[in-house]
Amino acid sequence: MFQRRLETLDRELLERIQLDRLRKSIQRIKEKNKKYWEKIGKPEPGDIKSLDDLKNFPFLTKDDLRKNYPFGLACGEQCEFVRFHMSSGTTGTPVVNPYTPNDVEQWGEIMARCLASAGLTYKDVLQITPSFGLFNGGFGFHYGAEKIGCFVVPIGPGRTLLQLKFLKDFKTTAIAGIASYPLRLIEIAKEEGFDFKETNLRVGIFGAETWSEEMRRFIEREMGIETFDIIGMTETGGVGLGIDCKAHNGIHVWEDHYIVEIVDPETGRVLPDGEEGELVVTTLTREGLPLIRYRTRDITKVLSRERCDCGRTHVRLERIKGRTDDMLKVKGVCFYPRQIEEIIMKHPEILPNYQIIVGKIEGKDVVEVVIESDKQDEFLRERIEEEIYSLLGLHIKVTLKKRGEIPRSEGKAVRVKKFS
Amino acid sequence: MFQRRLETLDRELLERIQLDRLRKSIQRIKEKNKKYWEKIGKPEPGDIKSLDDLKNFPFLTKDDLRKNYPFGLACGEQCEFVRFHMSSGTTGTPVVNPYTPNDVEQWGEIMARCLASAGLTYKDVLQITPSFGLFNGGFGFHYGAEKIGCFVVPIGPGRTLLQLKFLKDFKTTAIAGIASYPLRLIEIAKEEGFDFKETNLRVGIFGAETWSEEMRRFIEREMGIETFDIIGMTETGGVGLGIDCKAHNGIHVWEDHYIVEIVDPETGRVLPDGEEGELVVTTLTREGLPLIRYRTRDITKVLSRERCDCGRTHVRLERIKGRTDDMLKVKGVCFYPRQIEEIIMKHPEILPNYQIIVGKIEGKDVVEVVIESDKQDEFLRERIEEEIYSLLGLHIKVTLKKRGEIPRSEGKAVRVKKFS
Ligand SMILES: [Zn+2]
Ligand SMILES: [Zn+2]
């Protein structure tokens, strides 16, 4: 562990720290940004008697952050900030998160905990494949790696042939990336006759996209590695909000830095542990953009608040199932792309690239699942249609294409294509 | 200044520090890499009685570094290193420079001095446009900015419209980039009716390419900024080897970290101050890849070792004129692309994008200069041909194209195209 004492705090003490820091966060908002303070109902730090009082605060949404581009909800003058990261903003105005020097420290700390949770030490060689820049992925791993002192291969995204070469040249032991990138590595490795077993690669840390258990097994098997699912987003201060540990029974969220709640996405009611709903995050130590009850739109549940086999006491969440805005509704049936992925990935003869095409034709819902295989087998195609029907009760057309016919993306994978 | 005491050291003390550190560097090579130590003639640190003894060491060339890819000349085990940067390697095997934690500190320190030399403080907003990753540019500015504590806009290369938007959104005061990038910014700004005068932009820090005085004036005039010429390369530990100061009478090289010599590129003889030749760099504080007499191929001369108007005592070099391998030889006449650029840039009606095309047809040297202008003026075209002839004594065909006909590059500008 990177910070054994902090990562194994008793729950009582952890919650005392949370309460104390929540009050400080409210105090900061009150002092630094009146508009933000008014938006959350002008709370006095002393009004908060217990963590339970948090549920009386209004939610903060992505739209709130967007509307306040760039610094409308920022707490501090621009000269107090040292950098920012930004959501990609492919859909509308981006979200900007400004960092104070303490925020950069905080980020490095939680990322170092994540890397240590995946078993990394100063002896490791970490190949960082997310982009460095406005996207938080690259710099998140960069700051974490600086804290644990491992050797970094700062290659960034793309250049897959060079990535494979570097795995050997620099004896890479761990690779970080967005969750669809290992598929690209596996694909090019196959084409090139590159054998992951001839490398020192042992660990993969992937995130920023929903990836099913079946996809995870596929990556682990093909690359011969243990994978870790890392979560976090621009709004929470970047990648590193949580990660699973070697026990792989849930994603630990660093509770001395964040409070998580699970709420009903429809009503906003807080759900008891074990019930699935939308993840809501309150930051406790962020200065530039403290969040009070931020609706992440990620669907998950609390698995446990007990001490994990790894020794850590911080809450464990189920792996993210999807996002509320990923949910597809076809002929009245709601489902997540990940559910389709799970079916597809159970068939080793189907390649891990797929696409779900949804839209309306003359007011009627139309949906199609496109898969790739080297075997153009009508029976296989029908079988997938049947399995989808038995899961969702929905007839979905499955189209079988040849290897490489579904376009690959350098960034996040495009799993769902919508038309209207 | 970032480190007033160190940047204004008396020459005698500066040279004592250099001698002491040179011995330590030799000691490190001896301890950490026998092969490298043998290559430089197995010197004992105590053998070096004065800085003058340096001239007895053999040169190190780019080829030596390439042949030793990745860590053949590295001083230390891979687990002592925390990162590396790499030359682009478009021509053959790349050069890898591994950094120890102290090397990262050293880099941050010299880059912070460079930023301070350009007048930046924690109050500034620095938009970093070089690439973050294997190329050293982005991270060099990143580390320097962290030391001075300014606000960083970590945008990286390309996305020129977004760059212009950010200049306003984040009140950018300083921009860092490769020397041809401001041309792109100016071009897109014109198309978009974007006025740099409506921004807070005050400073431009550019490098990684040779840019003439005329180009510099053009950029300063069009963007309404003061520009600074920063030097450094992967081999020396990245950007930050030196920069000019507000006095703009030469590029200060940080002599407590580097020794510079100017040598005759043909004979290797050390040239006296004021004579033009090839820059040779010896590192004094780098651990991962200490350099002894590295031939940079950059052409310059020592302007002064006296105290500058800015108060700094560190040596001043003339701005880089070109590289030994940039030199073109046509019909027995040698010249640098920058000399052509100087002629072109004197004509405001010619756009700052140009290309020199050289090669051989049936064994005969052929050369052509392609320029762009909104005015398709035959008289202008002939005038450039005459000016080139009167400078070089060489008839070179000049072709006049319309705006936008010469391809733009996202990375370094392609000024010279060779064919054979
Ligand atoms: Zn655990
Ligand atoms: Zn000066």
Side-chain angles (χ1 to χ4, degrees), chain A residues 359-389:
Chain A
K360 278 186 194 295
I361 292 179
E362 291 170 8
K364 250 182 76 185
D365 286 336
V366 177
V367 59
E368 181 184 352
V369 171
V370 186
I371 57 175
E372 273 186 5
S373 176
D374 287 326
K375 282 168 66 183
Q376 296 301 298
D377 178 351
E378 175 61 17
F379 179 73
L380 177 67
R381 200 194 60 71
E382 279 177 11
R383 169 117 191 232
I384 303 297
E385 280 185 352
E386 279 162 25
E387 288 181 14
I388 292 173
Y389 181 73

PDB file of all heavy atoms in Angstrom, chain A residues 359-389:
ATOM      1  N   GLY A 359     -31.565   3.697 -33.756  1.00  0.00           N
ATOM      2  CA  GLY A 359     -32.169   4.904 -34.285  1.00  0.00           C
ATOM      3  C   GLY A 359     -33.641   4.666 -34.581  1.00  0.00           C
ATOM      4  O   GLY A 359     -34.214   3.666 -34.165  1.00  0.00           O
ATOM      5  N   LYS A 360     -34.215   5.619 -35.255  1.00  0.00           N
ATOM      6  CA  LYS A 360     -35.633   5.499 -35.598  1.00  0.00           C
ATOM      7  C   LYS A 360     -35.789   5.606 -37.103  1.00  0.00           C
ATOM      8  O   LYS A 360     -35.138   6.423 -37.744  1.00  0.00           O
ATOM      9  CB  LYS A 360     -36.435   6.623 -34.931  1.00  0.00           C
ATOM     10  CG  LYS A 360     -36.803   6.343 -33.480  1.00  0.00           C
ATOM     11  CD  LYS A 360     -37.721   7.460 -32.955  1.00  0.00           C
ATOM     12  CE  LYS A 360     -37.856   7.435 -31.452  1.00  0.00           C
ATOM     13  NZ  LYS A 360     -38.514   6.232 -30.915  1.00  0.00           N
ATOM     14  N   ILE A 361     -36.620   4.752 -37.680  1.00  0.00           N
ATOM     15  CA  ILE A 361     -36.985   4.887 -39.086  1.00  0.00           C
ATOM     16  C   ILE A 361     -38.506   5.021 -39.124  1.00  0.00           C
ATOM     17  O   ILE A 361     -39.218   4.158 -38.612  1.00  0.00           O
ATOM     18  CB  ILE A 361     -36.506   3.667 -39.912  1.00  0.00           C
ATOM     19  CG1 ILE A 361     -34.966   3.661 -39.968  1.00  0.00           C
ATOM     20  CG2 ILE A 361     -37.080   3.732 -41.327  1.00  0.00           C
ATOM     21  CD1 ILE A 361     -34.368   2.498 -40.724  1.00  0.00           C
ATOM     22  N   GLU A 362     -38.943   6.118 -39.665  1.00  0.00           N
ATOM     23  CA  GLU A 362     -40.385   6.416 -39.697  1.00  0.00           C
ATOM     24  C   GLU A 362     -41.025   6.241 -38.317  1.00  0.00           C
ATOM     25  O   GLU A 362     -42.060   5.562 -38.172  1.00  0.00           O
ATOM     26  CB  GLU A 362     -41.090   5.562 -40.744  1.00  0.00           C
ATOM     27  CG  GLU A 362     -40.669   5.982 -42.161  1.00  0.00           C
ATOM     28  CD  GLU A 362     -41.156   5.011 -43.227  1.00  0.00           C
ATOM     29  OE1 GLU A 362     -41.940   4.118 -42.886  1.00  0.00           O
ATOM     30  OE2 GLU A 362     -40.742   5.178 -44.391  1.00  0.00           O
ATOM     31  N   GLY A 363     -40.361   6.773 -37.299  1.00  0.00           N
ATOM     32  CA  GLY A 363     -40.924   6.754 -35.945  1.00  0.00           C
ATOM     33  C   GLY A 363     -40.803   5.414 -35.231  1.00  0.00           C
ATOM     34  O   GLY A 363     -41.166   5.287 -34.062  1.00  0.00           O
ATOM     35  N   LYS A 364     -40.238   4.423 -35.931  1.00  0.00           N
ATOM     36  CA  LYS A 364     -40.129   3.094 -35.315  1.00  0.00           C
ATOM     37  C   LYS A 364     -38.687   2.851 -34.856  1.00  0.00           C
ATOM     38  O   LYS A 364     -37.739   3.130 -35.577  1.00  0.00           O
ATOM     39  CB  LYS A 364     -40.505   2.021 -36.340  1.00  0.00           C
ATOM     40  CG  LYS A 364     -41.836   1.314 -36.052  1.00  0.00           C
ATOM     41  CD  LYS A 364     -42.128   0.225 -37.082  1.00  0.00           C
ATOM     42  CE  LYS A 364     -41.330  -1.049 -36.903  1.00  0.00           C
ATOM     43  NZ  LYS A 364     -41.545  -2.039 -37.980  1.00  0.00           N
ATOM     44  N   ASP A 365     -38.535   2.306 -33.612  1.00  0.00           N
ATOM     45  CA  ASP A 365     -37.194   1.991 -33.121  1.00  0.00           C
ATOM     46  C   ASP A 365     -36.550   0.929 -33.996  1.00  0.00           C
ATOM     47  O   ASP A 365     -37.174  -0.088 -34.308  1.00  0.00           O
ATOM     48  CB  ASP A 365     -37.273   1.425 -31.697  1.00  0.00           C
ATOM     49  CG  ASP A 365     -37.573   2.518 -30.677  1.00  0.00           C
ATOM     50  OD1 ASP A 365     -37.273   3.687 -30.967  1.00  0.00           O
ATOM     51  OD2 ASP A 365     -38.103   2.187 -29.600  1.00  0.00           O
ATOM     52  N   VAL A 366     -35.296   1.183 -34.359  1.00  0.00           N
ATOM     53  CA  VAL A 366     -34.538   0.199 -35.134  1.00  0.00           C
ATOM     54  C   VAL A 366     -33.226  -0.028 -34.406  1.00  0.00           C
ATOM     55  O   VAL A 366     -32.602   0.917 -33.919  1.00  0.00           O
ATOM     56  CB  VAL A 366     -34.263   0.713 -36.562  1.00  0.00           C
ATOM     57  CG1 VAL A 366     -33.413  -0.281 -37.327  1.00  0.00           C
ATOM     58  CG2 VAL A 366     -35.564   0.985 -37.283  1.00  0.00           C
ATOM     59  N   VAL A 367     -32.812  -1.260 -34.270  1.00  0.00           N
ATOM     60  CA  VAL A 367     -31.548  -1.545 -33.611  1.00  0.00           C
ATOM     61  C   VAL A 367     -30.883  -2.722 -34.306  1.00  0.00           C
ATOM     62  O   VAL A 367     -31.547  -3.643 -34.812  1.00  0.00           O
ATOM     63  CB  VAL A 367     -31.756  -1.815 -32.092  1.00  0.00           C
ATOM     64  CG1 VAL A 367     -32.697  -2.989 -31.869  1.00  0.00           C
ATOM     65  CG2 VAL A 367     -30.438  -2.050 -31.391  1.00  0.00           C
ATOM     66  N   GLU A 368     -29.547  -2.647 -34.364  1.00  0.00           N
ATOM     67  CA  GLU A 368     -28.794  -3.693 -35.042  1.00  0.00           C
ATOM     68  C   GLU A 368     -27.480  -3.869 -34.287  1.00  0.00           C
ATOM     69  O   GLU A 368     -26.884  -2.887 -33.838  1.00  0.00           O
ATOM     70  CB  GLU A 368     -28.505  -3.235 -36.480  1.00  0.00           C
ATOM     71  CG  GLU A 368     -27.742  -4.243 -37.302  1.00  0.00           C
ATOM     72  CD  GLU A 368     -27.374  -3.714 -38.693  1.00  0.00           C
ATOM     73  OE1 GLU A 368     -27.855  -2.617 -39.067  1.00  0.00           O
ATOM     74  OE2 GLU A 368     -26.579  -4.370 -39.364  1.00  0.00           O
ATOM     75  N   VAL A 369     -27.064  -5.096 -34.120  1.00  0.00           N
ATOM     76  CA  VAL A 369     -25.767  -5.366 -33.502  1.00  0.00           C
ATOM     77  C   VAL A 369     -24.846  -5.899 -34.585  1.00  0.00           C
ATOM     78  O   VAL A 369     -25.190  -6.854 -35.284  1.00  0.00           O
ATOM     79  CB  VAL A 369     -25.906  -6.391 -32.354  1.00  0.00           C
ATOM     80  CG1 VAL A 369     -24.530  -6.832 -31.859  1.00  0.00           C
ATOM     81  CG2 VAL A 369     -26.719  -5.796 -31.206  1.00  0.00           C
ATOM     82  N   VAL A 370     -23.705  -5.231 -34.735  1.00  0.00           N
ATOM     83  CA  VAL A 370     -22.745  -5.654 -35.762  1.00  0.00           C
ATOM     84  C   VAL A 370     -21.558  -6.303 -35.075  1.00  0.00           C
ATOM     85  O   VAL A 370     -20.966  -5.727 -34.154  1.00  0.00           O
ATOM     86  CB  VAL A 370     -22.276  -4.461 -36.616  1.00  0.00           C
ATOM     87  CG1 VAL A 370     -21.393  -4.927 -37.759  1.00  0.00           C
ATOM     88  CG2 VAL A 370     -23.469  -3.674 -37.140  1.00  0.00           C
ATOM     89  N   ILE A 371     -21.246  -7.517 -35.487  1.00  0.00           N
ATOM     90  CA  ILE A 371     -20.114  -8.229 -34.878  1.00  0.00           C
ATOM     91  C   ILE A 371     -19.144  -8.648 -35.968  1.00  0.00           C
ATOM     92  O   ILE A 371     -19.481  -8.650 -37.152  1.00  0.00           O
ATOM     93  CB  ILE A 371     -20.588  -9.466 -34.070  1.00  0.00           C
ATOM     94  CG1 ILE A 371     -21.394 -10.412 -34.973  1.00  0.00           C
ATOM     95  CG2 ILE A 371     -21.426  -9.038 -32.869  1.00  0.00           C
ATOM     96  CD1 ILE A 371     -21.805 -11.711 -34.294  1.00  0.00           C
ATOM     97  N   GLU A 372     -17.936  -9.001 -35.550  1.00  0.00           N
ATOM     98  CA  GLU A 372     -16.896  -9.430 -36.495  1.00  0.00           C
ATOM     99  C   GLU A 372     -16.439 -10.841 -36.144  1.00  0.00           C
ATOM    100  O   GLU A 372     -16.283 -11.165 -34.969  1.00  0.00           O
ATOM    101  CB  GLU A 372     -15.658  -8.540 -36.355  1.00  0.00           C
ATOM    102  CG  GLU A 372     -15.684  -7.290 -37.173  1.00  0.00           C
ATOM    103  CD  GLU A 372     -14.344  -6.545 -37.066  1.00  0.00           C
ATOM    104  OE1 GLU A 372     -13.391  -7.052 -36.447  1.00  0.00           O
ATOM    105  OE2 GLU A 372     -14.277  -5.428 -37.599  1.00  0.00           O
ATOM    106  N   SER A 373     -16.192 -11.641 -37.170  1.00  0.00           N
ATOM    107  CA  SER A 373     -15.606 -12.952 -36.919  1.00  0.00           C
ATOM    108  C   SER A 373     -14.839 -13.393 -38.153  1.00  0.00           C
ATOM    109  O   SER A 373     -15.140 -12.963 -39.275  1.00  0.00           O
ATOM    110  CB  SER A 373     -16.698 -13.979 -36.593  1.00  0.00           C
ATOM    111  OG  SER A 373     -16.113 -15.258 -36.454  1.00  0.00           O
ATOM    112  N   ASP A 374     -13.844 -14.244 -37.950  1.00  0.00           N
ATOM    113  CA  ASP A 374     -13.143 -14.827 -39.094  1.00  0.00           C
ATOM    114  C   ASP A 374     -13.999 -15.917 -39.735  1.00  0.00           C
ATOM    115  O   ASP A 374     -13.797 -16.285 -40.882  1.00  0.00           O
ATOM    116  CB  ASP A 374     -11.806 -15.415 -38.643  1.00  0.00           C
ATOM    117  CG  ASP A 374     -10.801 -14.313 -38.324  1.00  0.00           C
ATOM    118  OD1 ASP A 374     -10.850 -13.260 -38.996  1.00  0.00           O
ATOM    119  OD2 ASP A 374      -9.990 -14.496 -37.398  1.00  0.00           O
ATOM    120  N   LYS A 375     -14.921 -16.450 -38.945  1.00  0.00           N
ATOM    121  CA  LYS A 375     -15.823 -17.492 -39.457  1.00  0.00           C
ATOM    122  C   LYS A 375     -17.145 -16.852 -39.858  1.00  0.00           C
ATOM    123  O   LYS A 375     -17.858 -16.321 -39.008  1.00  0.00           O
ATOM    124  CB  LYS A 375     -16.098 -18.541 -38.365  1.00  0.00           C
ATOM    125  CG  LYS A 375     -14.962 -19.539 -38.162  1.00  0.00           C
ATOM    126  CD  LYS A 375     -15.175 -20.357 -36.894  1.00  0.00           C
ATOM    127  CE  LYS A 375     -16.390 -21.279 -36.975  1.00  0.00           C
ATOM    128  NZ  LYS A 375     -16.594 -22.000 -35.687  1.00  0.00           N
ATOM    129  N   GLN A 376     -17.489 -16.881 -41.094  1.00  0.00           N
ATOM    130  CA  GLN A 376     -18.752 -16.288 -41.543  1.00  0.00           C
ATOM    131  C   GLN A 376     -19.845 -17.348 -41.396  1.00  0.00           C
ATOM    132  O   GLN A 376     -20.312 -17.948 -42.357  1.00  0.00           O
ATOM    133  CB  GLN A 376     -18.621 -15.772 -42.977  1.00  0.00           C
ATOM    134  CG  GLN A 376     -17.616 -14.638 -43.122  1.00  0.00           C
ATOM    135  CD  GLN A 376     -17.949 -13.433 -42.257  1.00  0.00           C
ATOM    136  OE1 GLN A 376     -18.987 -12.805 -42.408  1.00  0.00           O
ATOM    137  NE2 GLN A 376     -17.075 -13.125 -41.282  1.00  0.00           N
ATOM    138  N   ASP A 377     -20.256 -17.563 -40.162  1.00  0.00           N
ATOM    139  CA  ASP A 377     -21.065 -18.707 -39.791  1.00  0.00           C
ATOM    140  C   ASP A 377     -22.487 -18.241 -39.447  1.00  0.00           C
ATOM    141  O   ASP A 377     -22.725 -17.580 -38.446  1.00  0.00           O
ATOM    142  CB  ASP A 377     -20.368 -19.361 -38.581  1.00  0.00           C
ATOM    143  CG  ASP A 377     -21.139 -20.547 -38.051  1.00  0.00           C
ATOM    144  OD1 ASP A 377     -22.282 -20.779 -38.472  1.00  0.00           O
ATOM    145  OD2 ASP A 377     -20.571 -21.236 -37.174  1.00  0.00           O
ATOM    146  N   GLU A 378     -23.433 -18.596 -40.317  1.00  0.00           N
ATOM    147  CA  GLU A 378     -24.825 -18.169 -40.146  1.00  0.00           C
ATOM    148  C   GLU A 378     -25.402 -18.680 -38.827  1.00  0.00           C
ATOM    149  O   GLU A 378     -26.193 -18.003 -38.162  1.00  0.00           O
ATOM    150  CB  GLU A 378     -25.661 -18.657 -41.334  1.00  0.00           C
ATOM    151  CG  GLU A 378     -27.155 -18.403 -41.254  1.00  0.00           C
ATOM    152  CD  GLU A 378     -27.545 -16.931 -41.160  1.00  0.00           C
ATOM    153  OE1 GLU A 378     -26.696 -16.060 -41.465  1.00  0.00           O
ATOM    154  OE2 GLU A 378     -28.684 -16.658 -40.736  1.00  0.00           O
ATOM    155  N   PHE A 379     -24.958 -19.856 -38.437  1.00  0.00           N
ATOM    156  CA  PHE A 379     -25.448 -20.446 -37.198  1.00  0.00           C
ATOM    157  C   PHE A 379     -25.023 -19.602 -35.990  1.00  0.00           C
ATOM    158  O   PHE A 379     -25.794 -19.350 -35.070  1.00  0.00           O
ATOM    159  CB  PHE A 379     -24.915 -21.881 -37.079  1.00  0.00           C
ATOM    160  CG  PHE A 379     -25.345 -22.563 -35.816  1.00  0.00           C
ATOM    161  CD1 PHE A 379     -26.656 -22.996 -35.648  1.00  0.00           C
ATOM    162  CD2 PHE A 379     -24.438 -22.752 -34.779  1.00  0.00           C
ATOM    163  CE1 PHE A 379     -27.053 -23.614 -34.474  1.00  0.00           C
ATOM    164  CE2 PHE A 379     -24.833 -23.361 -33.588  1.00  0.00           C
ATOM    165  CZ  PHE A 379     -26.142 -23.798 -33.440  1.00  0.00           C
ATOM    166  N   LEU A 380     -23.780 -19.147 -36.033  1.00  0.00           N
ATOM    167  CA  LEU A 380     -23.256 -18.286 -34.960  1.00  0.00           C
ATOM    168  C   LEU A 380     -24.081 -16.996 -34.865  1.00  0.00           C
ATOM    169  O   LEU A 380     -24.454 -16.556 -33.778  1.00  0.00           O
ATOM    170  CB  LEU A 380     -21.793 -17.945 -35.281  1.00  0.00           C
ATOM    171  CG  LEU A 380     -21.079 -16.987 -34.329  1.00  0.00           C
ATOM    172  CD1 LEU A 380     -20.892 -17.615 -32.959  1.00  0.00           C
ATOM    173  CD2 LEU A 380     -19.710 -16.584 -34.901  1.00  0.00           C
ATOM    174  N   ARG A 381     -24.351 -16.410 -36.019  1.00  0.00           N
ATOM    175  CA  ARG A 381     -25.104 -15.170 -36.073  1.00  0.00           C
ATOM    176  C   ARG A 381     -26.487 -15.351 -35.448  1.00  0.00           C
ATOM    177  O   ARG A 381     -26.916 -14.571 -34.595  1.00  0.00           O
ATOM    178  CB  ARG A 381     -25.243 -14.749 -37.550  1.00  0.00           C
ATOM    179  CG  ARG A 381     -25.576 -13.296 -37.778  1.00  0.00           C
ATOM    180  CD  ARG A 381     -26.027 -13.061 -39.214  1.00  0.00           C
ATOM    181  NE  ARG A 381     -27.220 -13.848 -39.554  1.00  0.00           N
ATOM    182  CZ  ARG A 381     -28.445 -13.601 -39.069  1.00  0.00           C
ATOM    183  NH1 ARG A 381     -28.647 -12.592 -38.268  1.00  0.00           N
ATOM    184  NH2 ARG A 381     -29.473 -14.385 -39.400  1.00  0.00           N
ATOM    185  N   GLU A 382     -27.142 -16.436 -35.821  1.00  0.00           N
ATOM    186  CA  GLU A 382     -28.480 -16.713 -35.276  1.00  0.00           C
ATOM    187  C   GLU A 382     -28.425 -16.967 -33.777  1.00  0.00           C
ATOM    188  O   GLU A 382     -29.301 -16.562 -33.030  1.00  0.00           O
ATOM    189  CB  GLU A 382     -29.107 -17.930 -35.978  1.00  0.00           C
ATOM    190  CG  GLU A 382     -29.723 -17.560 -37.315  1.00  0.00           C
ATOM    191  CD  GLU A 382     -30.285 -18.770 -38.043  1.00  0.00           C
ATOM    192  OE1 GLU A 382     -30.379 -19.855 -37.419  1.00  0.00           O
ATOM    193  OE2 GLU A 382     -30.600 -18.638 -39.246  1.00  0.00           O
ATOM    194  N   ARG A 383     -27.375 -17.630 -33.367  1.00  0.00           N
ATOM    195  CA  ARG A 383     -27.214 -17.953 -31.956  1.00  0.00           C
ATOM    196  C   ARG A 383     -27.148 -16.674 -31.108  1.00  0.00           C
ATOM    197  O   ARG A 383     -27.756 -16.585 -30.047  1.00  0.00           O
ATOM    198  CB  ARG A 383     -25.920 -18.782 -31.815  1.00  0.00           C
ATOM    199  CG  ARG A 383     -25.467 -18.983 -30.420  1.00  0.00           C
ATOM    200  CD  ARG A 383     -25.484 -20.455 -30.033  1.00  0.00           C
ATOM    201  NE  ARG A 383     -25.276 -20.533 -28.590  1.00  0.00           N
ATOM    202  CZ  ARG A 383     -24.364 -21.286 -28.022  1.00  0.00           C
ATOM    203  NH1 ARG A 383     -23.590 -22.073 -28.761  1.00  0.00           N
ATOM    204  NH2 ARG A 383     -24.245 -21.298 -26.716  1.00  0.00           N
ATOM    205  N   ILE A 384     -26.404 -15.672 -31.600  1.00  0.00           N
ATOM    206  CA  ILE A 384     -26.297 -14.403 -30.865  1.00  0.00           C
ATOM    207  C   ILE A 384     -27.664 -13.737 -30.795  1.00  0.00           C
ATOM    208  O   ILE A 384     -28.073 -13.234 -29.747  1.00  0.00           O
ATOM    209  CB  ILE A 384     -25.268 -13.458 -31.543  1.00  0.00           C
ATOM    210  CG1 ILE A 384     -23.892 -14.115 -31.648  1.00  0.00           C
ATOM    211  CG2 ILE A 384     -25.157 -12.126 -30.784  1.00  0.00           C
ATOM    212  CD1 ILE A 384     -23.236 -14.457 -30.348  1.00  0.00           C
ATOM    213  N   GLU A 385     -28.383 -13.761 -31.918  1.00  0.00           N
ATOM    214  CA  GLU A 385     -29.736 -13.192 -31.918  1.00  0.00           C
ATOM    215  C   GLU A 385     -30.608 -13.858 -30.857  1.00  0.00           C
ATOM    216  O   GLU A 385     -31.318 -13.200 -30.105  1.00  0.00           O
ATOM    217  CB  GLU A 385     -30.390 -13.359 -33.296  1.00  0.00           C
ATOM    218  CG  GLU A 385     -29.916 -12.319 -34.295  1.00  0.00           C
ATOM    219  CD  GLU A 385     -30.652 -12.383 -35.637  1.00  0.00           C
ATOM    220  OE1 GLU A 385     -31.441 -13.339 -35.849  1.00  0.00           O
ATOM    221  OE2 GLU A 385     -30.425 -11.490 -36.487  1.00  0.00           O
ATOM    222  N   GLU A 386     -30.500 -15.176 -30.772  1.00  0.00           N
ATOM    223  CA  GLU A 386     -31.295 -15.922 -29.786  1.00  0.00           C
ATOM    224  C   GLU A 386     -30.891 -15.558 -28.357  1.00  0.00           C
ATOM    225  O   GLU A 386     -31.738 -15.380 -27.486  1.00  0.00           O
ATOM    226  CB  GLU A 386     -31.130 -17.432 -29.976  1.00  0.00           C
ATOM    227  CG  GLU A 386     -31.999 -17.984 -31.091  1.00  0.00           C
ATOM    228  CD  GLU A 386     -31.514 -19.346 -31.558  1.00  0.00           C
ATOM    229  OE1 GLU A 386     -30.860 -20.069 -30.765  1.00  0.00           O
ATOM    230  OE2 GLU A 386     -31.762 -19.681 -32.741  1.00  0.00           O
ATOM    231  N   GLU A 387     -29.596 -15.459 -28.126  1.00  0.00           N
ATOM    232  CA  GLU A 387     -29.133 -15.158 -26.769  1.00  0.00           C
ATOM    233  C   GLU A 387     -29.561 -13.757 -26.343  1.00  0.00           C
ATOM    234  O   GLU A 387     -29.903 -13.534 -25.184  1.00  0.00           O
ATOM    235  CB  GLU A 387     -27.610 -15.319 -26.673  1.00  0.00           C
ATOM    236  CG  GLU A 387     -27.195 -16.781 -26.719  1.00  0.00           C
ATOM    237  CD  GLU A 387     -25.701 -16.992 -26.594  1.00  0.00           C
ATOM    238  OE1 GLU A 387     -24.979 -16.045 -26.203  1.00  0.00           O
ATOM    239  OE2 GLU A 387     -25.234 -18.107 -26.885  1.00  0.00           O
ATOM    240  N   ILE A 388     -29.509 -12.821 -27.282  1.00  0.00           N
ATOM    241  CA  ILE A 388     -29.979 -11.467 -26.964  1.00  0.00           C
ATOM    242  C   ILE A 388     -31.479 -11.513 -26.665  1.00  0.00           C
ATOM    243  O   ILE A 388     -31.951 -10.915 -25.703  1.00  0.00           O
ATOM    244  CB  ILE A 388     -29.675 -10.485 -28.129  1.00  0.00           C
ATOM    245  CG1 ILE A 388     -28.159 -10.266 -28.256  1.00  0.00           C
ATOM    246  CG2 ILE A 388     -30.373  -9.137 -27.890  1.00  0.00           C
ATOM    247  CD1 ILE A 388     -27.725  -9.457 -29.472  1.00  0.00           C
ATOM    248  N   TYR A 389     -32.200 -12.292 -27.485  1.00  0.00           N
ATOM    249  CA  TYR A 389     -33.654 -12.387 -27.254  1.00  0.00           C
ATOM    250  C   TYR A 389     -33.961 -12.987 -25.881  1.00  0.00           C
ATOM    251  O   TYR A 389     -34.827 -12.495 -25.151  1.00  0.00           O
ATOM    252  CB  TYR A 389     -34.329 -13.208 -28.355  1.00  0.00           C
ATOM    253  CG  TYR A 389     -35.830 -13.296 -28.146  1.00  0.00           C
ATOM    254  CD1 TYR A 389     -36.645 -12.189 -28.372  1.00  0.00           C
ATOM    255  CD2 TYR A 389     -36.421 -14.480 -27.693  1.00  0.00           C
ATOM    256  CE1 TYR A 389     -38.015 -12.250 -28.157  1.00  0.00           C
ATOM    257  CE2 TYR A 389     -37.796 -14.548 -27.472  1.00  0.00           C
ATOM    258  CZ  TYR A 389     -38.584 -13.433 -27.703  1.00  0.00           C
ATOM    259  OH  TYR A 389     -39.937 -13.486 -27.471  1.00  0.00           O
TER     260      TYR A 389
END
